Amino acid sequence: MKPKAILIDTKDNVATAFQDLKAGDQVTVALEGKEVTTALVQDIPFGHKFSLSDIALHQPVVKYGEAIGLAIQPIKAGQHVHVHNMESQKGRGDK
């Protein structure tokens, strides 16, 4: 059975969808003994991220084992994570 999503690093708090996913889907990702099952609360397009756990306002979004940005609003487990609720801190020029 083809996995629905991938966890890239055990430190990550987001996973990436391998296919279009629907709200209500239960998605399990696993890596190096870490297994997380998340109930999606929104549709997740192919290639996009979803949160594996709640991420508080201004807390890091972690992918590849590194912070890729900060939450600009609270993000609930199972929510779509993209430019509408996270902001990159790389290459901004004002930091």
Side-chain angles (χ1 to χ4, degrees), residues 1-5 19 21-29 36-42 50 52 78:
M1 181 173 174
K2 180 181 172 187
K4 294 180 181 179
Q19 61 194 50
L21 302 172
K22 296 291 183 191
D25 285 354
Q26 294 280 330
V27 180
T28 300
V29 293
V36 180
T37 299
T38 305
L40 301 180
V41 297
Q42 296 176 304
F50 60 91
L52 297 173

Side-chain angles (χ1 to χ4, degrees), residues 14 41-45 48-51 55 57-58 61 68-88:
V14 296
V41 297
Q42 296 176 304
D43 292 347
I44 311 296
H48 283 239
K49 298 175 294 300
F50 60 91
S51 181
I55 303 171
L57 176 66
H58 304 302
V61 173
I68 61 168
L70 297 176
I72 58 173
Q73 64 186 51
I75 302 171
K76 295 288 186 192
Q79 275 190 300
H80 184 209
V81 178
H82 201 54
V83 297
H84 67 281
N85 58 7
M86 72 159 272
E87 180 178 72
S88 175

